Each structure stands twice: as structure tokens, then as C-alpha cells.
Amino acid sequence: LGAIVFGLNQRYTDILNEHFKNRTVQKEYLCIVVGEPVDAPFSGIINIPIAEAALPSGQQRMRCKSRLLLSQCEGNSNNGGNTKRTCNETEAITHYETLATSTASCLMKLTLETGKKHQARVHMSQGLGCPILGDHKFWHHSLIKPQKLPSDM
């Protein structure tokens, strides 16, 4: 999910960097998600900070703040045996709109107000409970394995 944008020379690279820094670039995506938002309106704003956390396997994965456990955060100091743990969460805001639905999926338009690592994937999977179709990494909050598609899809 995403695009790579670069300037043809330093002048245009500086201009692009300034636009991204000032958030004047609109990041909009269409995606098909598995299921449909439950207990959520068909359009809205997901404003949940995300941070990198460790899975039981030791792999790192971005997670919504509400899904983070203290034990998953990286330790950053050790004082007499007491390990202080912290999650360096960052603000992440995604606007979403459901454009079409079927029995097992939805077409959604996502507009990222912020542009954090894996933000759209994390917010769909963990924020709305509707992982992006085919996303093997974020379809389940604690596993990394291929996504099993519903039989009616």
C-alpha cells in the first residue's frame, strides 16, 4: 500500500519534502477489506496512536495503542533489576468511508491525515476489525501467516 515519490533534482526534492512536512499532500487509498465495520459508522475518523511492539515470536509489528501490552514494549533502561518499558507511540489519524459492501467484504476509501508506518493496514485491521484483503501481516493481531479468505469471497 503506497507510492514512492521523488524529485528529479534537489530543488524539486526540497519542494516535495516541504509539502510532506506541511501535510499539504493528500494520501488517499482505495482498498478492499474483509468484513465490514462492526459497531462503527460507514464513515468516520480513526484517531488511535500506533507504536512498534514485539510479538511472542520476537518479531516486531506496528500496533494500535489500545492493543499494546506493557510486556510488548521495548525496555529502555534497567535500574536495579527494574526494567522501565515504553512504547514510542505516534499520532495516527485515518479518515475512512465505506463505498460499497458485499456479503464478505467492503470497498473503502482511506485518507491518511498522518503518514505513519503501516498506518492504513493497522487502523483497518486493529482499529475497525476489517483487515485489508490479502494482507498476511496484519490480518490477525498476533500472527504472521497467510490470510485465509472466507469461502463466500
Side-chain angles (χ1 to χ4, degrees):
L1 194 66
I4 298 173
V5 181
F6 59 92
L8 295 176
N9 58 42
Q10 190 59 49
R11 177 176 171 243
Y12 289 114
T13 300
D14 293 342
I15 291 169
L16 283 170
N17 286 340
E18 196 64 28
H19 282 292
F20 277 99
K21 180 180 173 184
N22 295 331
R23 294 186 179 173
T24 57
V25 175
Q26 187 170 357
K27 295 161 270 198
E28 192 171 281
Y29 303 91
L30 293 176
C31 61
I32 298 173
V33 299
V34 178
E36 60 182 71
V38 179
D39 299 328
F42 276 90
S43 65
I45 300 171
I46 304 168
N47 185 354
I48 305 172
I50 59 177
E52 196 163 6
L55 294 176
S57 65
Q59 293 175 300
Q60 295 293 307
R61 158 128 3 119
M62 298 304 286
R63 284 224 157 135
C64 285
K65 180 182 177 184
S66 61
R67 298 235 185 215
L68 290 171
L69 302 174
L70 190 59
S71 62
Q72 295 170 314
C73 301
E74 293 181 16
N76 66 354
S77 67
N78 191 343
N79 297 329
N82 297 327
T83 302
K84 181 181 177 185
R85 297 190 180 273
T86 182
C87 282
N88 295 320
E89 63 195 41
T90 57
E91 177 183 51
I93 301 170
T94 303
H95 300 258
Y96 71 92
E97 180 182 354
T98 304
L99 302 177
T101 62
S102 72
T103 56
S105 63
C106 291
L107 173 64
M108 302 193 80
K109 179 173 83 171
L110 308 178
T111 305
L112 279 55
E113 190 173 312
T114 54
K116 304 305 177 193
K117 181 179 177 183
H118 303 305
Q119 176 180 326
R121 298 166 74 187
V122 172
H123 274 172
M124 288 297 94
S125 175
Q126 298 172 16
L128 286 184
C130 301
I132 294 173
L133 182 64
D135 187 351
H136 71 281
K137 190 170 185 177
F138 289 95
W139 77 273
H140 190 275
H141 68 273
S142 64
L143 301 173
I144 296 181
K145 66 180 191 176
Q147 182 186 62
K148 293 181 181 177
L149 300 179
S151 59
D152 59 347
M153 185 170 275

